[in-house]
């Protein structure tokens, strides 16, 4: 098996003192830049990156990065994240006064039991429109329009206690209010 060696770099010819030519960006800093151009710098860097000291440096950097990642992972395991419990309540109704009464009852129960409250948030009203012919056979130009509006509210209860959940289960909401409860 052949030994791997660094690419060869040709030496720059010796120039007399003060004979450095200026480069495009200003004065050339070495005879190597004047004589060989940019490719010589690349080959020097390639040779330096394969040297044993460069390989040891890369290994040391990789080891320190791995140690830092292990320490941050251990810190994440050591300090458990406090999970917030949340109850999300969505209320739907065709009539706004009943919806407002229901949301106010839920807010009162949450305040009495010490749960955090976010809301009530008014969600967009869903409007279903119907177009109906007035007569069964003729007069297609004569129509009636009807619509059903579904009003919605959203209430989030943060960190509810057991008494909060019990009080919500005992609560009697007005007729015509649909309640959707999700725990997260």
């Amino acid at each position: 098996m052949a030994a791997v060696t660094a690419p060869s770099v040709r030496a720059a010819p010796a120039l007399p003192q003060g004979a450095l030519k200026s480069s495009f960006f200003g004065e050339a800093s070495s005879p190597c830049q004047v004589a060989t151009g940019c490719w010589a710098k690349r080959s020097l860097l390639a040779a330096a990156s394969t040297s044993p000291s460069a390989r040891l440096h890369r290994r040391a950097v990789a080891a320190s990065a791995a140690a830092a990642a292990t320490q941050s992972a251990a810190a994440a395991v050591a300090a458990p994240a406090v999970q917030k419990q949340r109850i999300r309540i969505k209320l739907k109704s065709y009539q706004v006064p009943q919806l407002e009464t229901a949301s106010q009852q839920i807010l009162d129960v949450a305040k009495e039991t010490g749960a955090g409250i976010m809301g009530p948030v008014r969600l967009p009203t869903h409007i279903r429109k119907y177009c109906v012919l007035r007569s069964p056979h003729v007069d297609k130009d004569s129509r009636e329009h009807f619509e059903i509006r579904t009003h919605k509210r959203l209430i989030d209860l943060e960190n509810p206690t057991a008494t909060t959940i019990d009080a919500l289960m005992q609560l009697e909401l007005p007729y015509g209010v649909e309640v959707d409860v999700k725990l997260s």
Side-chain angles (χ1 to χ4, degrees), residues 12-170:
L15 294 176
Q17 188 72 0
L20 293 179
K21 298 177 183 175
S22 63
S23 67
F24 182 73
F25 293 108
E27 289 296 317
S29 58
S30 69
C32 180
Q33 286 180 350
V34 174
T36 60
C38 188
W39 68 270
K41 285 194 264 180
R42 285 193 207 119
S43 60
L44 284 172
L45 289 174
S49 66
T50 57
S51 68
S53 63
R55 280 182 270 156
L56 287 175
H57 177 70
R58 282 195 305 257
R59 285 183 188 160
V61 169
S64 65
T70 305
Q71 287 176 354
S72 64
V77 170
V82 177
Q83 288 187 346
K84 290 185 177 181
Q85 290 184 343
R86 180 176 63 189
I87 296 177
R88 177 162 281 184
I89 303 171
K90 286 186 181 179
L91 303 171
K92 295 180 185 179
S93 178
Y94 298 126
Q95 299 173 351
V96 176
Q98 292 176 347
L99 187 64
E100 294 295 328
T101 303
S103 62
Q104 191 60 44
Q105 288 177 355
I106 292 172
L107 292 177
D108 292 341
V109 167
K111 287 178 186 175
E112 289 173 6
T113 57
I117 303 168
M118 292 178 59
V121 177
R122 292 185 171 131
L123 298 176
T125 302
H126 182 84
I127 302 173
R128 297 170 81 194
K129 294 184 179 181
Y130 297 98
C131 181
V132 179
L133 294 176
R134 288 187 183 185
S135 71
H137 300 293
V138 291
D139 296 328
K140 187 163 180 158
D141 293 339
S142 176
R143 300 180 184 203
E144 287 185 297
H145 298 277
F146 300 98
E147 67 181 25
I148 298 175
R149 293 177 177 249
T150 306
H151 304 278
K152 303 175 196 172
R153 301 289 184 268
L154 175 70
I155 300 172
D156 281 344
L157 303 178
E158 300 286 334
N159 298 323
T161 60
T163 57
T164 305
I165 296 170
D166 290 339
L168 288 173
M169 298 297 280
Q170 303 282 329

